[in-house]
Amino acid sequence: ESDQEEPTHVVKIVLIGDSSVGKTNLLTRFCENEFAPDSMPTIGVEFGSKIVEINEQRIKAQIWDTAGQERFRSVTQAYYRGSVGAFIVYDITNPLSFRRLGDWYQEFKSQAEDNSIIMIIGNKCDLENDRKILQEDAEKFAKEHDILFMETSAKDGTNVEETFSKLMNKIYNVT
Ligand code: GDP
Ligand code: MG
């Protein structure tokens, strides 16, 4: 019965980070617990949503995906507007995607609400043999910027739920 209740709040969360780090596959995992290995990059904006329960409130998280805009450095202001949280994603096998975290961080900070919550995601942690970025280097970045961090695999599902609830709990100030 409670499944049919309307959510109390709707919050907007954005996914950002370089192309090919796995944002779209993370979105699919978050929202459907599925992995689509051949997701096609399209132009525009897409989003998925997921209902979470926090402090007995039903919250609808609307998660926006760049849908390919990031390849052309053309993520628009409208994309960020009104977001209360962001996942900035890199690929643990791709050093360039890690070096770009600072740019994405600055861009989000300059566009989003002042008190929005940011979480770094090191995706593709299933590819341990190809790892180029140590977990401790990402932890250092997160600590310096006072933001959250976790490694995930959209492929096998590792930490995807955990990442999501960590961000939502921080947004709602729950520990
Ligand atoms: P986006 O450009 O950031 O949206 O990245 P996509 O979600 O389209 O993924 C880019 C490529 O990485 C695709 O070929 C995916 O199959 C692959 N991929 C995404 N997540 C993972 C993961 O966690 N592990 C592995 N091994 N591959 C992944
Ligand atoms: Mg994508």
Side-chain angles (χ1 to χ4, degrees):
E1 190 192 278
S2 67
D3 282 1
Q4 271 127 52
E5 277 170 35
E6 285 298 305
T8 324
H9 301 290
V10 180
V11 294
K12 175 177 172 181
I13 314 276
V14 294
L15 276 162
I16 49 179
D18 276 11
S19 182
S20 299
V21 295
K23 298 181 298 300
T24 299
N25 280 282
L26 280 167
L27 177 69
T28 309
R29 269 278 177 198
F30 281 146
C31 298
E32 298 159 34
N33 199 35
E34 266 176 23
F35 180 65
D38 296 310
S39 62
M40 290 284 290
T42 49
I43 305 300
V45 168
E46 291 170 347
F47 58 81
S49 48
K50 187 178 172 98
I51 302 273
V52 291
E53 203 151 309
I54 296 175
N55 284 343
E56 295 174 13
Q57 303 224 68
R58 287 169 63 78
I59 317 286
K60 184 177 193 169
Q62 196 177 70
I63 305 150
W64 288 46
D65 183 18
T66 53
Q69 293 177 18
E70 79 282 17
R71 286 182 298 152
F72 308 103
R73 300 208 173 187
S74 62
V75 176
T76 58
Q77 287 186 3
Y79 184 76
Y80 296 103
R81 194 171 302 133
S83 55
V84 298
F87 291 112
I88 309 181
V89 187
Y90 70 96
D91 166 355
I92 70 154
T93 72
N94 177 345
L96 179 60
S97 74
F98 181 73
R99 288 202 297 274
R100 293 262 298 135
L101 285 182
D103 294 341
W104 286 111
Y105 175 82
Q106 292 304 336
E107 175 154 310
F108 182 74
K109 285 299 249 187
S110 71
Q111 304 275 350
E113 314 299 315
D114 284 344
N115 51 359
S116 49
I117 306 296
I118 301 174
M119 181 161 189
I120 300 296
I121 294 182
N123 189 43
K124 308 197 188 181
C125 71
D126 58 289
L127 300 177
E128 188 55 47
N129 292 339
D130 298 321
R131 176 188 289 277
K132 300 286 180 341
I133 306 300
L134 296 175
Q135 190 154 338
E136 62 216 59
D137 289 335
E139 271 159 7
K140 187 162 169 260
F141 182 95
K143 209 168 185 179
E144 278 167 9
H145 295 84
D146 194 25
I147 54 183
L148 302 167
F149 162 68
M150 205 176 250
E151 285 191 352
T152 60
S153 167
K155 184 171 187 175
D156 67 20
T158 303
N159 281 344
V160 174
E161 278 291 323
E162 291 83 351
T163 299
F164 188 79
S165 46
K166 207 169 167 180
L167 184 84
M168 291 301 287
N169 285 336
K170 181 96 188 261
I171 288 170
Y172 283 93
N173 236 322
V174 181
T175 47

